[in-house]
């Protein structure tokens, strides 16, 4: 039994001597195996503590400051690296290692790392550059070398990008410094996407424009301001080539929005009878008369006595073309029925269609409500509407084809002064606030008519006690003209 105790004591003594015997010397400090293990454990503890502290600062403090995600990630990363650096220095000082004695050693190691670990050092410097300059930040939607995705995290060596398919890609930081980067969400997430489309020769450009804009306005992901545009790109070999340009504020959803727009465009073209052509080739046949003569000669020999039985042939009468209802009329035809636009050319009408869109309101539907904010101007293309005040319980007016409403709220910057409701199925031409200026600039007579009508309607509302506005020394018409001039410069 005594020998077992003796052997165990010798083992512990050997291990103690192994861990306490100096292995090498740094400066005036001798390091043993035990002190090295202690330094490693302390370094791991410092790393974990700095990481936890930076995460706590990011989640508890930076969130309350209401910084964006990219800024929070960058600040937390820098704080974590600084805490880790200071912690390692404190650990070394606690172990009695003089940092000045590490200068030469660090220089030698630095030269070795510079030659042996060039990629690692370049990624390290690139990571610091990304954190401080912030050309990209966590949460940005970027494209680099054909890789499209959202930045999830930026570390010292690499950046994690999540693609549209949900795949996480680890990209070395040096690629973001040396290559061109498209940052779709840098400062302003709004961007414009292009939808190319070709139609058959013989299609009317104004109908194509109307169909493309109608498809764009049906897509909820497309912004109304800036308004969608249609460009006539060129004359192709077998098609007229157009391009629909729309603005979106979610670049991550550009592919689904393009797909939805393509579905809507196909549906609009089908409803309007606009053909999307196949590639076409013209074939020129020589000696056409000789071929035609032989064909007729062969056809005659196929029938007995060379006679054609006319009783077997039937003549189908031309189908009667039914007149279109107003709901199926093109927007061009509807606008031409309005006094302001009856003399417009097709090119002027095409431009006018870009400023607004038509909207069908069934009988009894409210177009706008009293006290709601005014954001649209309306021109009646077909049908009629009733204007009344719900608050005062008073009838104001009935408006018919060619008349307009909604200008009081837009021009005076006040809530809607009355409710407008359709008296029958009606088609309205709707112009948003941002496009009203373009419409009035190109149609000065409409601006004059608006000023005149607005003056009359204001006076009528005052007589009914609905509009209580102080009357200035100027006449209402002069004040309204000045208001239009100050708002739209016309």
């Amino acid at each position: 039994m005594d020998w077992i105790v003796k052997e165990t004591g010798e083992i512990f003594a050997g291990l103690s001597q192994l861990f306490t015997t100096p292995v090498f010397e740094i400066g005036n400090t001798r390091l043993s195996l035990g002190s090295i293990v202690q330094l490693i454990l302390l370094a791991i503890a410092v790393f974990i503590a700095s990481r936890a502290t930076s995460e706590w600062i990011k989640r508890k403090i930076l969130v309350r400051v209401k910084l964006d995600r990219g800024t929070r990630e960058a600040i937390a990363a820098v704080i974590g690296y600084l805490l880790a650096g200071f912690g390692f220095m404190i650990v070394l000082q606690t172990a009695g290692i003089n940092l000045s004695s590490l200068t030469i050693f660090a220089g030698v190691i630095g030269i070795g790392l510079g030659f042996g670990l060039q990629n690692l050092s370049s990624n390290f410097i690139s990571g610091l550059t990304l954190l401080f300059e912030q050309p990209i930040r966590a949460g940005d939607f970027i494209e680099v070398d054909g890789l499209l995705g959202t930045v999830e995290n930026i570390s010292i060596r690499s950046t994690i990008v999540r693609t549209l398919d949900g795949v996480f890609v680890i990209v070395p930081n040096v690629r973001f410094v040396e290559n061109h980067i498209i940052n779709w969400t840098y400062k302003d997430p709004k961007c414009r996407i292009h939808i190319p489309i070709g139609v058959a020769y013989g299609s009317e450009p104004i109908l194509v424009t109307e169909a493309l804009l109608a498809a764009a306005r049906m897509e909820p992901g497309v912004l109304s301001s800036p308004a969608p545009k249609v460009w006539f790109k060129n004359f192709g070999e077998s098609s007229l080539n157009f391009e629909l340009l729309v603005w979106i504020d979610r670049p991550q959803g550009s592919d689904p929005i393009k797909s939805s727009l393509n579905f809507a465009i196909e549906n609009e073209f089908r409803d309007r009878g606009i053909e999307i052509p196949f590639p076409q080739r013209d074939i020129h046949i020589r000696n056409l008369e000789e071929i035609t003569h032989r064909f007729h000669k062969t056809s005659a020999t196929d029938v007995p006595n060379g006679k054609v039985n006319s009783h077997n042939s039937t003549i189908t009468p031309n189908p009667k073309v039914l007149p279109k209802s107003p709901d199926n009329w093109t927007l061009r035809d509807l606008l031409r029925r309005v006094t302001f636009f009856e003399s417009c050319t097709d090119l002027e009408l095409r431009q006018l269609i870009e400023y607004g869109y038509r909207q069908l309101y069934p009988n009894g539907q409210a177009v706008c409500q009293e006290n709601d904010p005014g954001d649209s101007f309306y021109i009646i293309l077909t049908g009629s509407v009733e204007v009344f005040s719900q608050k005062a319980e008073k009838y104001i007016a009935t408006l018919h084809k060619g008349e307009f409403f909604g200008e009081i709220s837009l021009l005076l910057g006040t809530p809607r002064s009355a409710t407008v409701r359709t008296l029958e199925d009606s088609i309205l031409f709707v112009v948003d606030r941002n496009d009203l200026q373009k419409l009035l600039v190109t149609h000065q007579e409409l601006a004059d008519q608006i000023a005149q009508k607005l003056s009359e309607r204001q006076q009528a509302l005052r007589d009914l006690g609905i509009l209580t506005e102080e009357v200035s020394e100027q006449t209402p018409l002069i004040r309204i003209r000045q208001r239009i001039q100050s708002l739209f410069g016309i």
Side-chain angles (χ1 to χ4, degrees), residues 19 28 32 36 60 74 114 147 155 178 240 269 273 277 280 284 301 327 368-369 372 376 384 407:
F19 279 96
N28 297 325
S32 63
I36 294 174
K60 299 296 184 181
L147 178 66
S155 63
E178 294 181 350
L240 303 175
F269 280 8
Q280 299 177 3
H284 300 277
T301 57
D327 294 347
C368 54
Q369 292 284 352
D372 284 350
S376 298
S384 59
E407 76 288 350

Side-chain angles (χ1 to χ4, degrees), residues 54-256:
S54 65
E55 287 292 325
W56 181 84
I57 292 175
K58 180 177 67 176
R59 298 181 184 277
K60 299 296 184 181
I61 298 178
L62 298 181
V63 171
R64 294 181 180 178
V65 181
K66 297 183 179 180
L67 298 175
D68 58 89
R69 178 187 173 188
T71 304
R72 293 198 305 267
E73 295 284 348
I75 293 176
V78 172
I79 290 176
Y81 296 141
L82 291 177
L83 291 176
F86 284 124
F88 291 146
M89 292 175 62
I90 293 173
V91 168
L92 293 176
Q93 290 283 4
T94 304
I97 299 176
N98 187 4
L99 297 180
S100 61
S101 62
L102 298 177
T103 305
I104 299 176
F105 178 76
V108 175
I109 295 297
I111 294 174
L113 290 176
F115 285 103
L117 302 174
Q118 293 183 13
N119 291 334
L120 184 60
S121 59
S122 61
N123 285 322
F124 177 80
I125 300 300
S126 300
L128 292 178
T129 302
L130 294 178
L131 288 174
F132 283 100
E133 290 189 358
Q134 295 188 350
I136 61 172
R137 297 182 294 181
D140 285 352
F141 188 69
I142 65 168
E143 182 178 355
V144 55
D145 288 348
L147 178 66
L148 198 65
T150 303
V151 177
E152 292 294 325
N153 183 45
I154 301 175
S155 63
I156 285 297
R157 188 193 70 83
S158 61
T159 297
I160 298 177
V161 178
R162 178 169 53 86
T163 66
L164 296 175
D165 296 326
V167 179
F168 291 88
V169 182
I170 301 175
V171 184
N173 288 331
V174 69
R175 290 179 61 182
F176 294 100
V177 177
E178 294 181 350
N179 298 326
H180 294 289
I181 307 171
I182 300 176
N183 191 340
W184 293 95
T185 52
Y186 186 75
K187 292 186 178 180
D188 187 0
K190 286 195 299 187
C191 61
R192 189 167 67 177
I193 58 177
H194 299 238
I195 309 294
I197 187 70
V199 299
Y201 274 93
S203 303
E204 295 189 54
I206 189 171
L207 296 183
V208 176
T209 300
E210 180 184 349
L212 293 176
L213 292 177
R217 291 188 172 99
M218 287 190 299
E219 170 55 40
V222 172
L223 300 179
S224 59
S225 178
K229 294 290 183 183
V230 175
W231 287 354
F232 192 158
K233 295 292 289 185
N234 53 54
F235 297 89
E237 291 185 358
S238 56
S239 64
L240 303 175
N241 296 326
F242 291 81
E243 198 165 75
L244 174 63
L245 294 85
V246 298
W247 288 87
I248 62 175
D249 57 1
R250 291 187 63 257
Q252 299 91 332
S254 59
D255 285 344

Side-chain angles (χ1 to χ4, degrees), residues 269-280:
F269 280 8
R270 182 158 28 88
D271 290 344
R272 301 168 192 267
I274 300 175
E275 181 183 354
I276 300 177
F278 293 100
Q280 299 177 3

Side-chain angles (χ1 to χ4, degrees), residues 392-403:
E393 297 182 352
K394 293 182 179 180
Y395 164 82
I396 299 175
T398 298
L399 305 178
H400 300 277
K401 184 193 75 174
E403 296 187 271

